[in-house]
DNA sequence: AGGTTGACATA
DNA sequence: GTATGTCAACCTT
């Protein structure tokens, strides 16, 4: 080791306990092996190896070692027999993890050090001294106060759970003494956990004050008679010997004769194969994937390592069942235990034996609990808030929701925050309630509220604490709110998304519906709180008592729903759908919403004017032709005039008995030479474009960002597609030339370009994959025109020189297939007789029998199981598929044919979106993802980076199904850049 | 004031 | 034939 080298010393034993208690006991192997501490350890080590520069440490290590306690007996027991005597045995489900963490260390190719008779802390002290003397720097990965005595100019500590560095200043800040006086301070305060006696009645504050006055422990003991306070003087004098013994117990031994020289601690790059074999055996899928990507290793090619679970708490007992992982804890614990079982020690023996049984038991327990709104607290001062935050951090799980002035998180101002740390234990923190709206000068804020900034400072360590799980309902809203306020909420669960994964297609996932369904509880309707119509008020004007009841109920219900629903994910095998396709999209979509997109307001305004003028001219023509003035926009009036008064040949009637006046019908009449229907169709197009786009979009431009911010809904479609609203940016016109002019108003900022990347024929490719159709596979592999190929197969027409109408019919059939074709629908689409459409379908099924098989099996699965699945395992439920109403049944059958296709395509682009930001960051590109339109992603990037960005975007999208699904047809993405959306697409 | 209908924009 | 969201007109409350 030389000058400039940097040694990382990981306190392995300390980390085990801390990770075990801080992390929810989530991570168990399929066989029940408890591994949450192992996962926490592996994630921490991997992060430090891979990305130490981006942590609070900020430097890359050259040397690295993980250090463990050998056993509980050390030289300190000879000094003081009672040392650590009241340590109880470790929790039963922690025991197998001691050995596993040592295995993990070896799998990372890191030195794994321990020595008989010494604690890990002594080895750390020794190596820290050796490194310091060799001219290197040291970082101790631990937050244990027992190690703080080692901190100095070249030695600091790092708390990986809080991503916080602990140097000299931090020690002084926390303990009131510099690191070199920590030994004396601990000698005075003692340590109840380690059974270090110290001096009774002396805590850290008094100890620091005494050391400040007397300098050090020896001086203090020598001059104890000078202490003014009678009681304190007496206890110190009578406990002087205890203090001296304590000093020897807490003083770390930095001259242990170590077996491994510093040179052996040089950091090696990990062997991907060995590491992945271990991670795979642990079933740490996310980390395995990360490591595989970083080391360029093929996961599939590596077999899981055989991990023997050692029996002893300190890993030196005989192996149990070598070669196979063994379950040590007697009873499986809930995979996703609620607060009641967090860190609760050994499992009780009568817990349910399977995830499904657990889920049922959990639901019964929660449903049985009464929901009393009277227990809700209102937090009015910072000290009380700090207590709640501390309780939440100790529990490790907290439900959280924000109350604001608007449903639009880009315009909302915070009004209050609600927390729930357990069922019925909830509190509301008002920060922005006002007495009246009349006061325009900003006064009128009601008394006894915590200032917003104080509340945020208190909440931030909780909301950003990676060891505390935050639970929300529709958390994207709260995430974006908090992000605007400078807080990154993580980690989190979203009960709306869990419910969506469990039951897409079974009804609403809003919190009031779920409370009703799962808890039989009727929540206070939002409308009852804020009123409606002319009595509508913003939440800041709701009186605090009422707000408290409403907001805390929301948090309370969220945590109860989480307790019921989260275990069901495991029971139903839907954990990975939730964790890979839903949850990670929350911050991704929130950032897209926050970025927004620029539009050219002048261009939209000019278009509005032009559309108005042309529509006006058409109106006059229509009135002249009709012989009277009427409301053209009223289908009822229009139908009466055209088909009643004027006697044009009408078509069908709508279900309410009105004449149908759809564009398709009017087009047909226009083709027969009638003037009026043509004008109506044109008028409708212009007024539609004007009202929905050129007039409406500018209203949505944000006053501060000057951009358009849509809102995405993650749980609004049964198939897994996301939807966009206020404004809907997924239905911006493209088909007509007039419509496309609206697209040209979507622009990049100066110096930037818009990039559009869209999947080519993704749904037909998914169909070719699922149904495994040879001709389709071949056509996509060869890159031929898929509709022309279909036409050629069906009508025997060669692809070269094919008439456009033949291709058009084939295209309609292909679309029809994806939509769960019916002769009625196809006939309608192609304006041909039902019999002819039926013949087409029959012919199609003869040419592609695999498609018929797919359709039949989809329907059958929906009937048998009540749901169908995408290729990634997302379920879409069809509870009405057995309806006795034939049209309801037929509708459900068509939907169950379409859902796996539409849903798999939706899953693919979700996967691309989840990976996109990291991929761009790794490629050092600044492109920002702005919009998603089902099979298309829109980015904004600087002009210089356009060429480098296109291939990265393309690659992520085309490989998005991998490695979960290896598709039998390639995915193809077209990507282009331009100044506006029309040209980029 | 709020909900429903028919029409039409997108994938 | 699938999946959405928004608008104007109209009807109910």
């Amino acid at each position: 080791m030389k000058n400039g080298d940097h040694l990382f010393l990981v306190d392995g034993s300390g980390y085990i306990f801390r990770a075990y208690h801080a992390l929810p006991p989530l991570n168990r192997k399929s066989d029940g092996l408890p591994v949450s501490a192992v996962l926490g350890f592996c994630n921490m080590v991997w992060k430090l190896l891979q990305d130490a520069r981006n942590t609070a440490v900020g430097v890359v290590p050259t040397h690295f070692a993980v250090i463990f306690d050998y056993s509980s007996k050390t030289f300190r027991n000879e000094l003081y027999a009672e040392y650590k005597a009241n340590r109880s045995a470790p929790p039963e489900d922690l025991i197998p993890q001691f050995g596993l963490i040592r295995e993990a260390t070896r799998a990372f190719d890191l030195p794994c050090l321990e020595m008989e008779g010494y604690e890990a802390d002594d080895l750390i002290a020794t190596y820290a001294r050796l490194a310091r003397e060799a001219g290197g720097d040291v970082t101790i990965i631990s937050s244990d106060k027992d190690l703080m005595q080692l901190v100095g100019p070249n030695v600091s500590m790092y708390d990986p759970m809080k991503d916080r560095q602990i140097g000299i200043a931090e020690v002084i800040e926390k303990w009131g003494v510099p690191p070199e006086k920590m030994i004396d301070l601990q000698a005075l305060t003692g340590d109840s956990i380690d059974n270090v006696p110290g001096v009774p009645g002396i805590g850290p504050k008094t100890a620091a004050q005494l050391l400040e006055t007397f300098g050090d422990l020896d001086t203090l003991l020598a001059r104890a008679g000078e202490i003014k306070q009678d009681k304190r003087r007496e206890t110190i004098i009578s406990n002087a010997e205890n203090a001296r013994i304590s000093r020897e117990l807490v003083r770390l031994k930095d001259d242990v004769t170590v077996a491994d020289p510093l040179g052996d601690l040089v950091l090696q790059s990990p062997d991907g194969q060995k590491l992945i074999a271990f991670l795979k055996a642990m079933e740490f899928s996310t980390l395995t994937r990360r490591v595989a990507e970083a080391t360029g290793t093929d996961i599939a090619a590596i077999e899981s390592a055989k991990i023997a679970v050692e029996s002893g708490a300190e890993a030196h007992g005989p192996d149990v069942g070598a070669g196979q992982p063994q379950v040590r804890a007697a009873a499986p614990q809930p995979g996703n235990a609620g607060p009641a079982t967090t860190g609760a020690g050994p499992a009780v023996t009568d817990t349910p034996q399977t995830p499904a049984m657990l889920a049922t038991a959990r639901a019964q327990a929660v449903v049985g609990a009464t929901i009393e709104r009277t227990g809700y607290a209102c937090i009015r001062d910072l000290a009380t808030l700090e207590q709640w935050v501390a309780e939440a951090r100790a529990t490790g799980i907290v439900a959280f929701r924000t109350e604001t002035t608007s449903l639009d998180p880009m315009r909302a101002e915070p009004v209050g925050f609600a927390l729930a740390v357990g069922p019925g234990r909830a509190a509301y923190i008002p920060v922005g309630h006002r007495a009246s709206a009349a006061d325009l000068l900003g006064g009128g804020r009601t008394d006894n509220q915590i200032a917003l900034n104080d509340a945020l400072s208190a909440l931030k360590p909780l909301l950003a604490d990676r060891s505390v799980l935050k639970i929300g309902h529709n958390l994207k809203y709260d995430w974006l709110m908090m992000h605007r306020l400078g807080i990154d909420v993580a980690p989190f669960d979203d009960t709306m998304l869990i419910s969506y994964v469990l039951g897409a297609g079974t009804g609403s996932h809003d919190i009031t519906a779920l409370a009703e369904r799962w808890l039989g509880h009727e929540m206070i309707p939002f409308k009852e709180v804020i009123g409606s119509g002319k009595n509508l008020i913003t939440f800041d004007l709701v009186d605090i008592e009422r707000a408290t009841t409403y907001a805390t109920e929301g948090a309370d219900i969220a945590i109860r729903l989480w307790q019921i629903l989260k275990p069901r994910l495991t029971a139903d095998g839907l954990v990975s759908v939730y964790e890979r396709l839903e949850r990670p999209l929350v911050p991704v979509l929130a950032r897209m919403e926050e970025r927004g997109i620029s539009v050219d307001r002048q261009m939209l305004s000019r278009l509005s004017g032009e559309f108005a003028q042309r529509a006006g001219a058409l109106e006059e023509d229509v009135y002249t032709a009709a012989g009277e003035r009427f409301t053209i926009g009223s289908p009822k009036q229009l139908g009466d005039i055209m088909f009643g008064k004027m006697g044009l040949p009408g078509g069908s009637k709508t279900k309410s008995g009105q004449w149908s006046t759809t564009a398709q019908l009017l087009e047909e009449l226009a083709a027969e030479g009638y003037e009026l229907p043509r004008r109506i169709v044109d008028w409708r197009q212009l007024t539609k474009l004007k009202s929905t786009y050129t007039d409406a979009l500018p209203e949505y431009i944000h006053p501060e960002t000057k951009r358009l911010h849509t809102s995405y809904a993650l749980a609004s479609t049964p198939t897994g597609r996301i939807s966009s609203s206020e404004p809907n940016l997924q239905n911006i016109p493209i088909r007509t030339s007039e419509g496309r002019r609206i697209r040209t108003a979507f622009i990049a900022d100066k110096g930037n370009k818009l990039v559009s990347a869209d999947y080519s024929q993704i749904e037909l490719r998914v169909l070719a994959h699922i149904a495994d159709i040879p001709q389709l596979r071949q056509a996509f592999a060869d890159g031929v025109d898929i509709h022309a190929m279909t036409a050629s197969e069906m009508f025997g027409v060669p692809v070269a020189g094919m008439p456009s109408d033949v291709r058009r019919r084939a295209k309609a059939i292909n679309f029809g297939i994806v939509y769960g074709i019916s002769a009625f629908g196809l006939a309608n689409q192609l304006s041909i007789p039902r019999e002819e459409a039926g013949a087409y379908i029959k012919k199609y099924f003869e040419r592609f029998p695999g498609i018929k098989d797919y359709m039949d099996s989809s329907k059958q699965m929906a009937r048998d199981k009540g749901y169908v699945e995408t290729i990634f395992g997302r379920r879409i439920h069809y509870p009405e598929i057995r309806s006795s109403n034939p049209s309801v049944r037929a509708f459900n059958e068509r939907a169950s044919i379409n859902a796996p296709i539409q849903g798999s395509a939706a899953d693919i682009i979700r996967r691309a979106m989840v990976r996109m930001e990291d991929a761009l960051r790794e490629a050092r590109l600044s492109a920002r993802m702005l919009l998603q339109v089902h099979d298309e992603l829109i980015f904004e990037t600087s002009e210089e980076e356009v060429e480098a960005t296109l291939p990265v975007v393309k690659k992520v999208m085309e490989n998005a199904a991998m490695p979960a699904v290896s598709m039998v047809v390639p995915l193809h993405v077209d990507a282009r850049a331009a100044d506006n959306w029309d040209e980029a697409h």
Side-chain angles (χ1 to χ4, degrees):
Chain A
M1 174 168 274
K2 58 183 188 306
N3 253 332
D5 281 356
H6 202 119
L7 169 65
F8 277 21
L9 293 167
V10 177
D11 175 16
S13 295
Y15 195 87
I16 293 172
F17 283 96
R18 188 122 181 274
Y20 175 81
H21 289 108
L23 302 174
L26 298 176
N27 306 290
R28 286 159 177 268
K29 277 193 69 167
S30 47
D31 63 357
L33 184 69
V35 289
S36 61
V38 186
L39 176 59
F41 178 83
C42 290
N43 275 329
M44 180 268 289
V45 168
W46 177 248
K47 174 82 179 163
L48 285 177
L49 292 177
Q50 200 63 21
D51 200 22
R53 195 181 295 284
N54 287 327
T55 66
V57 186
V59 294
V60 177
T62 57
H63 296 61
F64 205 117
V66 186
I67 302 169
F68 296 93
D69 292 324
Y70 183 85
S71 74
S72 53
K73 290 270 177 285
T74 67
F75 71 91
R76 288 184 178 81
N77 294 95
E78 297 180 20
L79 277 172
Y80 185 66
E82 299 305 304
Y83 181 66
K84 291 197 175 178
N86 47 17
R87 272 274 168 100
S88 55
E92 203 170 353
D93 60 341
L94 179 55
I95 291 169
Q97 303 194 57
F98 288 100
L100 290 172
I101 287 180
R102 286 177 172 79
E103 286 287 339
T105 307
R106 287 185 217 79
F108 273 100
D109 271 324
L110 295 171
C112 176
L113 309 177
E114 51 195 306
M115 188 174 279
E116 191 169 7
Y118 296 99
E119 293 187 29
D121 292 357
D122 300 306
L123 295 182
I124 291 172
T126 301
Y127 278 109
R129 178 183 59 82
L130 292 170
R132 216 176 54 225
E133 289 172 354
D137 291 307
V138 180
T139 296
I140 299 163
I141 314 301
S142 169
S143 58
D144 194 338
K145 69 172 187 312
D146 296 352
L147 288 161
M148 290 185 183
Q149 58 183 270
L150 301 174
V151 170
N154 301 97
V155 180
S156 60
M157 292 171 65
Y158 171 68
D159 179 351
M161 287 177 163
K162 294 192 187 133
D163 190 27
R164 200 171 77 98
Q165 201 167 21
I166 304 161
I168 298 171
E170 284 76 15
V171 173
I172 295 172
E173 190 196 337
K174 174 113 201 250
W175 297 99
V177 298
E180 64 271 19
K181 292 194 180 169
M182 279 301 292
I183 298 174
D184 287 355
L185 181 130
Q186 290 177 266
L188 286 165
T189 59
D191 187 337
S192 59
I193 294 168
D194 287 346
N195 210 22
V196 172
V199 176
I202 305 286
K205 289 277 181 291
T206 313
Q209 186 202 317
L210 289 167
L211 291 170
E212 175 72 24
T213 311
F214 293 94
D216 58 47
L217 181 64
D218 286 324
T219 315
L220 165 66
L221 295 178
R223 292 166 51 195
E226 299 170 21
I227 295 169
K228 290 191 188 73
Q229 298 90 334
D230 292 344
K231 188 149 177 250
R232 185 175 297 172
R233 185 175 61 246
E234 290 311 312
T235 44
I236 288 178
I237 291 171
S238 61
N239 283 285
E241 197 48 34
N242 272 341
R244 289 199 185 87
I245 291 171
S246 298
R247 180 168 56 184
E248 292 324 298
L249 291 175
V250 300
R251 188 200 304 277
L252 298 180
K253 194 166 162 56
D254 69 356
D255 57 358
V256 180
T257 312
V258 291
D260 307 87
L262 269 182
D264 286 4
L265 309 187
V266 171
L267 183 58
Q268 315 283 328
S269 56
D271 171 355
Q273 307 263 330
K274 180 162 62 165
L275 182 51
I276 286 170
F278 174 81
L279 297 173
K280 236 181 146 175
M282 291 290 107
E283 297 176 13
F284 298 159
S285 50
T286 305
L287 185 57
T288 308
R289 208 172 53 244
R290 266 188 217 142
V291 172
E293 276 171 20
T295 58
T297 316
D298 180 3
I299 299 177
I302 298 173
E303 268 201 44
S304 288
K306 297 267 186 272
I307 305 295
V309 178
E310 294 157 314
S311 68
E314 297 297 333
H316 293 280
D319 285 0
V320 174
Q324 277 301 312
Q326 292 276 319
V327 182
R328 298 265 331 151
Q333 280 211 330
N336 305 286
T341 49
T342 302
V348 284
T349 46
D350 59 353
T351 41
Q353 297 300 303
T354 68
M357 288 163 69
L358 171 85
T360 308
R362 172 58 54 77
Q364 281 166 358
V366 178
V367 171
T370 52
I371 298 173
E372 273 289 343
R373 293 188 184 118
T374 50
Y376 298 150
C378 184
I379 301 175
R380 301 289 203 150
D381 62 274
L382 212 45
T384 312
L385 176 56
E386 298 282 8
Q387 282 172 18
W388 277 83
V389 167
E391 183 177 344
R393 294 185 74 171
T395 310
I397 295 169
V398 61
F400 172 73
R401 64 177 282 160
T402 49
E403 299 299 341
T404 69
T405 53
S406 168
L407 261 52
D408 176 356
M410 284 302 294
R411 291 162 198 257
E413 296 301 327
V415 175
F417 308 99
L419 304 175
V421 294
R425 182 143 181 81
Y428 181 61
I429 309 143
V431 296
H433 284 263
R434 293 186 297 146
S436 90
D439 192 342
L440 294 173
L441 295 173
R445 186 172 175 276
T446 35
D447 293 339
N448 293 322
Q449 295 182 73
I450 299 175
L452 174 63
N453 283 334
D454 291 341
L456 292 175
S457 303
L459 287 168
K460 188 169 185 172
L462 174 69
L463 297 177
D465 187 336
R466 284 154 63 188
S467 65
V468 180
L469 181 69
K470 271 66 67 175
I471 295 165
H473 192 89
N474 188 18
L475 196 87
K476 177 163 64 63
Y477 181 91
D478 308 276
W479 194 97
L480 182 45
M481 247 349 262
M482 298 317 290
H483 193 245
R484 285 179 54 216
L485 296 168
I487 296 177
D488 264 304
V489 178
F492 62 83
D493 265 335
D494 187 330
T495 46
M496 181 181 77
L497 298 182
I498 295 172
S499 168
Y500 178 58
V501 168
L502 292 171
T506 58
S508 169
H509 305 285
D510 78 43
I511 192 165
T512 50
L514 297 183
E516 181 77 53
R517 195 182 314 161
W518 293 99
L519 302 165
H521 174 76
E522 198 166 324
M523 293 181 74
I524 305 164
F526 188 46
K527 266 176 72 174
E528 231 165 69
V529 180
I530 58 162
S532 66
K534 66 178 169 55
N535 297 319
L536 184 75
I537 55 171
T538 45
F539 202 85
D540 53 334
L541 298 176
V542 174
D543 77 69
I544 293 181
E545 200 176 324
R546 185 91 182 116
T548 298
T549 314
Y550 173 78
T552 45
E553 183 189 50
D556 185 16
I557 296 298
I559 203 164
R560 291 175 200 250
L561 287 173
W562 181 85
Q563 289 181 333
I564 294 177
L565 299 179
K566 188 81 195 271
R568 283 186 174 261
L569 285 178
T570 313
D572 292 356
L574 289 167
V575 172
S576 72
V577 172
Y578 171 66
E579 291 186 350
R580 295 158 87 144
L581 296 173
E582 298 290 340
R583 193 173 59 186
L585 220 46
V586 168
V588 172
L589 288 176
R591 285 187 283 265
M592 289 167 68
E593 293 178 8
E594 194 175 14
R595 288 176 197 126
I597 187 168
S598 283
V599 287
D600 184 338
R601 192 196 278 268
Q602 273 69 43
M603 185 182 295
L604 291 174
S605 165
R606 280 196 304 275
L607 283 172
S608 270
E610 185 191 323
F611 292 160
Q613 210 159 33
R614 289 167 55 190
L618 286 166
E619 262 170 53
E620 292 307 322
D621 289 355
V622 168
Y623 297 149
T624 308
E628 65 176 300
R629 300 176 84 83
F630 65 102
T631 306
I632 304 175
S634 163
K636 183 178 185 296
Q637 291 186 37
L638 177 67
D640 287 345
I641 285 181
M642 274 204 307
F643 305 118
K645 179 181 170 190
M646 297 176 68
L648 269 64
S652 56
K653 299 274 184 82
T654 66
K655 60 173 178 260
S656 58
Q658 305 290 321
W659 292 101
S660 168
T661 67
T662 63
Q664 192 183 1
L665 182 84
L666 299 185
E667 288 283 3
E668 284 165 18
L669 292 172
E672 289 169 33
Y674 294 100
E675 288 292 320
L676 183 60
R678 171 84 270 143
R679 301 232 194 293
I680 300 291
V681 168
D682 290 345
W683 179 89
R684 278 187 181 162
Q685 192 204 161
L686 290 168
T687 53
K688 175 74 178 180
L689 295 178
K690 180 171 184 291
S691 66
T692 311
Y693 303 102
T694 58
D695 285 350
L697 289 176
E699 299 294 314
Y700 285 102
I701 294 173
H702 194 283
E704 277 153 36
T705 69
K706 312 287 184 204
R707 288 163 78 100
L708 231 40
H709 305 266
T710 185
S711 172
Y712 289 108
L714 265 166
S716 76
T717 78
T719 55
R721 277 192 176 178
I722 61 176
S723 70
S724 157
S725 62
E726 291 182 300
N728 181 355
L729 296 184
Q730 290 179 324
N731 71 346
I732 301 305
I734 190 169
R735 285 189 3 250
T736 66
S737 58
E738 302 297 16
R740 292 179 87 111
R741 294 167 71 190
I742 292 164
R743 275 200 179 216
T744 63
F746 285 76
I747 52 175
D749 277 350
K750 200 164 165 24
N752 290 279
K753 296 275 184 188
L754 288 184
V755 169
S756 161
D758 68 302
Y759 284 106
S760 159
Q761 306 286 6
I762 188 167
E763 293 194 342
L764 282 174
R765 285 172 200 260
V766 166
L767 174 64
H769 170 85
I770 298 178
D772 199 19
I773 308 301
Q775 302 100 307
L776 292 178
R777 284 175 60 172
Q778 190 66 46
F780 282 123
D782 297 347
V784 308
D785 178 337
I786 198 70
H787 302 311
M789 186 283 289
T790 307
S792 175
E793 280 277 342
M794 282 193 59
F795 306 118
V797 183
V799 169
M802 175 174 292
S804 66
D805 187 60
V806 175
R807 184 179 179 281
R808 187 182 64 87
R809 273 181 286 161
K811 184 175 174 180
I813 293 168
N814 277 334
F815 271 94
I817 294 295
V818 168
Y819 296 154
I821 202 158
S822 75
F824 180 87
L826 183 64
N828 209 25
Q829 176 68 29
L830 289 176
S831 301
I832 56 174
R834 262 246 295 285
E835 294 70 31
E836 197 179 340
Y840 282 177
I841 294 169
K842 186 159 173 280
K843 184 74 171 271
Y844 186 94
F845 286 154
E846 281 165 17
R847 291 291 170 187
F848 305 98
I851 302 264
K852 180 85 170 76
D853 294 344
Y854 161 74
M855 290 181 159
D856 290 341
S857 68
S858 262
K859 285 188 272 188
Q860 196 55 47
M861 176 161 178
R863 273 194 290 267
D864 292 346
K865 297 191 167 175
Y867 61 83
V868 292
E869 283 180 336
T870 69
I871 55 178
F872 301 96
R874 175 192 299 281
R875 292 181 188 167
I876 303 105
H877 297 259
Y878 290 99
E880 292 192 297
I881 190 114
R882 291 159 171 279
S883 169
S884 56
N885 178 335
S887 72
V888 169
R889 198 169 57 237
F891 175 80
N892 277 273
E893 287 174 354
R894 288 194 299 273
S896 69
I897 290 165
N898 171 260
I901 304 169
Q902 186 184 119
S904 298
D907 288 348
I908 288 171
I909 197 165
R910 278 176 180 241
R911 289 169 63 90
M913 293 170 76
V914 166
R915 294 176 186 176
M916 191 62 74
E917 292 179 318
D918 279 345
L920 290 169
R921 196 176 307 116
E922 273 168 38
R924 302 187 182 286
L925 293 168
S926 63
R928 289 128 298 167
M929 189 158 49
L930 306 185
L931 302 179
Q932 190 251 39
V933 192
H934 309 308
D935 65 358
E936 175 187 14
L937 293 172
I938 314 295
F939 303 81
E940 185 171 21
T941 191
S942 68
E943 282 173 12
E944 306 83 61
E945 292 182 10
V946 162
E947 289 312 310
T949 301
L950 295 179
V952 172
V953 165
K954 213 167 126 80
K955 189 176 170 197
V956 170
M957 291 175 74
E958 289 181 340
N959 293 326
M962 295 282 282
V965 171
S966 207
M967 292 192 51
V968 299
V969 291
L971 293 176
H972 185 263
V973 169
D974 294 306
R976 255 194 303 281
D979 291 324
N980 66 66
W981 191 1
D982 184 43
E983 288 168 40
H985 186 79

